[in-house]
Amino acid sequence: LAFADCAASEMQSQGWIAPRNNSEALAHCVNNQYLLCLATEKKLLPSSVINQATKMKAQQLEEQQGFPPGRKAMKELKERVTEELLPRAFAVRRVTQVWIDPVHHLVVVDAANPNRADEVLKLLLKCVDRLPIENLRTKTSPQAAMTDWLAGDEAPKGFTIDQDTELRSTSEEKATVRYVRHSIEPDDVKKHIANGKQCTKLALTWDDKISF
């Protein structure tokens, strides 16, 4: 399932590319650790452009036949317009890195979006005969851990808490408080936690070297 560019009539193309520039191998192995790279190319064809072109075609058709096209005819017209516009649409490519650690039984996908991670896993399962995968479940949720760090004003060893954070309510209203480049007072944090909020984003620095 190697990647190939979108054909003129395709909206999207997906497949594996070499994770290293100086090699054509689709899997890069070092010390029984594997790196993969999934490429996704998608045509940029906004619905507003399709609708505008379809409306113009429908007006021309109405002038020719003397009455407006019906629902079925409009659907077919829209499909035909999409096919005509696709070859001229711009294609945008994104890549998703994958690290497979068979030693510790881990598959790590460099994606914050669960749907993008699912794309990788679906294609991976098509390529290998047997790959039992389960989602990683932690004893403590990330939100609970970050909330505890804020409440105690103390990050894990080697880390420091920076001045950006987001606290969100678990209620239906999803009330949210954000701090941007702003010192967070422990008393304020405790009030937000008492009101049912949890930390959903937190800026940290590791070893005075990497901030994220």
Side-chain angles (χ1 to χ4, degrees):
L1 296 175
F3 175 78
D5 291 333
C6 270
S9 59
E10 282 185 322
M11 180 65 82
Q12 179 174 299
S13 178
Q14 201 168 53
W16 305 105
I17 61 173
R20 298 189 69 194
N21 294 330
N22 58 353
S23 171
E24 294 182 359
L26 297 182
H28 177 60
C29 180
V30 177
N31 293 333
N32 205 23
Q33 304 289 307
Y34 295 87
L35 290 178
L36 306 176
C37 191
L38 179 69
T40 303
E41 191 172 82
K42 193 171 184 179
K43 295 281 184 70
L44 290 179
L45 192 56
S47 57
S48 57
V49 174
I50 297 172
N51 293 336
Q52 185 178 351
T54 303
K55 187 178 179 181
M56 291 175 63
K57 292 274 187 182
Q59 289 174 348
Q60 293 172 4
L61 192 62
E62 184 178 351
E63 291 172 2
Q64 293 171 7
Q65 62 189 17
F67 57 89
R71 183 178 295 178
K72 185 180 177 182
M74 282 296 293
K75 184 181 178 183
E76 293 173 352
L77 193 62
K78 191 172 185 178
E79 290 173 355
R80 195 159 67 245
V81 166
T82 303
E83 290 175 3
E84 291 173 359
L85 292 174
L86 265 177
R88 291 181 282 160
F90 289 107
V92 176
R93 187 186 297 187
R94 60 173 165 81
V95 295
T96 307
Q97 305 283 349
V98 187
W99 164 33
I100 301 176
D101 178 2
V103 178
H104 300 97
H105 309 290
L106 292 171
V107 176
V108 183
V109 181
D110 184 18
N113 188 320
N115 293 333
R116 190 174 293 185
D118 286 341
E119 285 181 358
V120 171
L121 297 179
K122 284 177 183 176
L123 207 67
L124 194 58
L125 290 167
K126 287 182 180 180
C127 297
V128 293
D129 295 330
R130 186 173 177 273
L131 187 66
I133 294 178
E134 292 182 14
N135 286 331
L136 190 68
R137 292 179 175 85
T138 58
K139 292 180 180 179
T140 305
S141 72
Q143 290 91 338
M146 292 188 294
T147 303
D148 285 344
W149 301 341
L150 272 179
D153 196 23
E154 186 175 354
K157 186 178 180 181
F159 292 85
T160 53
I161 296 173
D162 290 341
Q163 293 184 317
D164 294 79
T165 190
E166 178 181 281
L167 293 130
R168 184 175 296 178
S169 173
T170 53
S171 64
E172 292 182 2
E173 289 80 13
K174 301 291 182 186
T176 304
V177 174
R178 292 187 182 92
Y179 290 85
V180 180
R181 293 187 294 277
H182 191 286
S183 296
I184 307 158
E185 296 296 330
D187 289 344
D188 292 339
V189 170
K190 288 174 183 176
K191 287 179 183 176
H192 290 308
I193 295 171
N195 290 329
K197 294 185 181 71
Q198 281 195 321
C199 182
T200 52
K201 292 182 182 179
L202 184 64
L204 297 171
T205 294
W206 172 75
D207 199 26
D208 292 328
K209 295 177 181 176
I210 300 173
S211 295
F212 57 97

